[in-house]
Amino acid sequence: LGAAGGAPPLAALVAAGDGPGIREAIDALGAIGGPTTAPAIAPLLLSDRAELREAAVRALGRLRFEPGAARIEPLRSDYSGSVRRAAIEALARLPLRRPGGRP
């Protein structure tokens, strides 16, 4: 339903790192937003499963999680085409940091 109260149990499921429904949980966290969602998703950028890396990249792009840019950048050359496309799209959504600290 998109209620922020649903984020903690979804974050716990995502933190487990694998299992049924993990991709859907990542997608849901990306849609819900909130302060705890992006840090729960970011570790899955290193998943062995391409579909989880792709879901994590897309979710972080939707959340505009700028601290994740350094971890998303290498995925532009992932062996999976869908992960590469998702990384390029996510990086395009992230706010740019300019010298002097002003976006």
Side-chain angles (χ1 to χ4, degrees):
L1 298 174
L10 288 171
L13 177 63
V14 169
D18 206 359
I22 188 91
R23 182 181 172 106
E24 292 80 6
I26 295 167
D27 291 340
L29 281 175
I32 291 173
T36 61
T37 58
I41 296 168
L44 290 172
L45 293 172
L46 302 175
S47 173
D48 291 339
R49 296 173 50 194
E51 67 271 12
L52 296 185
R53 289 193 309 277
E54 178 187 355
V57 168
R58 289 193 187 284
L60 293 175
R62 258 185 260 123
L63 294 170
R64 299 181 187 265
F65 185 60
E66 197 271 332
R71 293 173 74 182
I72 294 171
E73 182 70 32
L75 295 176
R76 289 180 42 205
S77 57
D78 194 88
Y79 69 85
S80 168
S82 61
V83 174
R84 287 192 307 267
R85 283 186 296 278
I88 291 167
E89 291 169 8
L91 289 168
R93 288 181 162 193
L94 298 179
L96 296 175
R97 289 266 169 127
R98 295 192 181 112
R102 298 192 116 170

